[in-house]
Amino acid sequence: MTLLPETARQIDAQVAQAQVDGRAPSLVLGVVRDRTLVHLAAAGEHPRPDIDLQYRLGSISKTMTAALIMQLRDAGRLAVNDPLERHLPGTGVGTLTLRQLLAHASGIQREPEGDWWERTAGADLTTLLAGLTADKIAYPAHATYHYSNLAYGLLGGVLERLTGTPWADLLGERILTPLGMRRTTYAATEPFARGYVVHPWHDTLREEPRTDTGAMAPAGQLWSTIEDLGRWAAFLADPDPSVLAAETLTEMCSPVVISDLESWTHGHGLGLELFREGDRVYVGHGGSMPGYLASLAVHRPTRTAVVGFANSYGLRTGHLGALGRRLLTLVLDAEPAPVTPWQPAAAVPPAELAELTGRWWWMGTEIEVSADAAGELRAGPVGGAPDLRFVAEGPDRWRGRAGGQDGEILTVLRDEQGRAVALDIATFVHTRTPDQEP
């Protein structure tokens, strides 16, 4: 799979111009479609980027920390509405919940006490927790969007205390190894790009420190490559169920808080940023550490993503993210969407399922119900997309799992002979003909 030549040319031109305008020693962006890195656009020579050159991920590390929390939730080890006190007792902020911390809705301050953690050697978890007093809460929970690195240091502490395993080891075991992200590491591993500050007046480079951030590592420690970040983007578009259930990732991508109440173009789910670009919503995250910028934007419906790195602050965090999202929009607008071929069903559905298919009426409105290969019911307007999905919960009882009846109950109503004569969908009774009384 490749991009059309004109699409690739426009991407290369925009990346080259961004490297000049931002005075980036090196800049690289990759386009991922359907789990494949289909295009690499690189500019700059300090060093020359390629798919295996490491840069620092910065806050994109938070997305993996959040996935670890949700793995433990799915395993029954915690609940997202647990108060912090349940897992890290004795702090002054114990009433905050894991959900609030994940979504930057807790109101806790942005940074831990002490020197700027991104440029100094990090302390251990005990030291981080010792400085937590009630005055670290800047706003009441859910009162506003308030981004917090400290929140993710605490979430990493929850993971470590609950599993008895250091965050980095847990990440390797549960995410990096299963997904084949061999070049995503805790510390820089050659070959890696050095990170710089570019002098504003004479364009010289000052190399930035590469610190071990200690207990704050879950907020921004990791290093990765375009190839590995592309793998993570592909996972966010279409998750491996052995790592995280698809419905759990969808939950992470649902908005918890909106950051710009005027235009609703940016918000946060459980560990993932949400960006509205026109009629599309992208999920992902930005990242920065001294001398480094990173960008991740994924359009889940088409399994398309753009990932990127730079090794200076010249582009500024927002600008690299905006570039990535602009290029993602370019790809989606210019490239034909992949079409999945229709395949015939392998077998006729069982009789108890087949009898529910066909057309049903409610208040003069007709819907069509079909059965899929997974044994689920799909429903929608006749001739339209079947936007409703129902999964079996028991005899003649189905639960809505998509569309306008998500979460609602479908009950099959039968006559004295046991024949299905109506479908009660959340108390709206659908009959076989428009003349029948519900």
Side-chain angles (χ1 to χ4, degrees), residues 11 14-15 18 27-31 275 277 282 294-298 304-309 315 317-332:
I11 291 172
Q14 291 196 37
V15 169
L27 174 63
V28 58
L29 284 97
V31 179
F275 306 94
E277 301 278 338
Y282 302 151
S295 176
L296 166 67
V298 182
T304 307
V306 170
V307 294
F309 293 115
L315 284 167
T317 307
H319 287 196
L320 182 63
L323 174 63
R325 294 189 296 276
R326 185 167 71 245
L327 295 182
L328 178 53
T329 299
L330 186 159
V331 171
L332 294 174

Side-chain angles (χ1 to χ4, degrees), residues 12-99:
D12 290 345
Q14 291 196 37
V15 169
Q17 191 62 52
Q19 187 266 340
V20 172
D21 294 344
R23 300 183 306 158
S26 69
L27 174 63
V28 58
L29 284 97
V31 179
V32 178
R33 300 202 82 183
D34 204 15
R35 295 188 175 275
T36 302
L37 184 66
V38 297
H39 187 73
L40 186 75
E45 299 290 341
H46 299 283
R48 181 66 181 173
D50 60 39
I51 63 171
D52 197 47
L53 183 68
Q54 276 192 342
Y55 295 77
R56 207 158 191 180
L57 276 181
S59 288
I60 295 175
S61 304
K62 292 180 174 73
T63 65
M64 300 179 197
T65 298
L68 290 173
I69 290 284
M70 300 306 288
Q71 282 183 343
L72 293 187
R73 192 285 303 272
D74 287 355
R77 303 286 300 278
L78 57 79
V80 292
N81 289 325
D82 283 348
L84 184 65
E85 178 72 15
R86 183 168 299 171
H87 304 290
L88 295 176
T91 74
V93 297
T95 60
L96 303 178
T97 69
L98 305 187
R99 177 182 177 86

Side-chain angles (χ1 to χ4, degrees), residues 158-180:
V158 169
L159 291 166
E160 184 172 328
R161 289 282 176 87
L162 197 57
T163 65
T165 303
W167 171 81
D169 295 341
L170 196 68
L171 181 72
E173 171 190 320
R174 290 173 172 256
I175 291 180
L176 302 183
T177 297
L179 296 183

Side-chain angles (χ1 to χ4, degrees), residues 184-249:
T184 301
T185 56
Y186 186 91
T189 306
E190 294 284 10
F192 69 89
R194 276 61 181 169
Y196 301 104
V197 170
V198 180
H199 196 282
W201 300 320
H202 47 66
D203 287 346
T204 55
L205 302 180
R206 185 189 75 222
E207 188 172 345
E208 286 283 78
R210 297 179 289 276
T211 56
D212 180 337
T213 55
M216 289 295 293
Q221 173 68 32
L222 294 175
W223 296 73
S224 193
T225 65
I226 281 289
E227 185 171 50
D228 267 16
L229 189 53
R231 287 192 173 97
W232 183 239
F235 173 83
L236 294 178
D238 185 17
D240 179 344
S242 69
V243 175
L244 197 66
E247 57 267 27
T248 299
L249 187 51

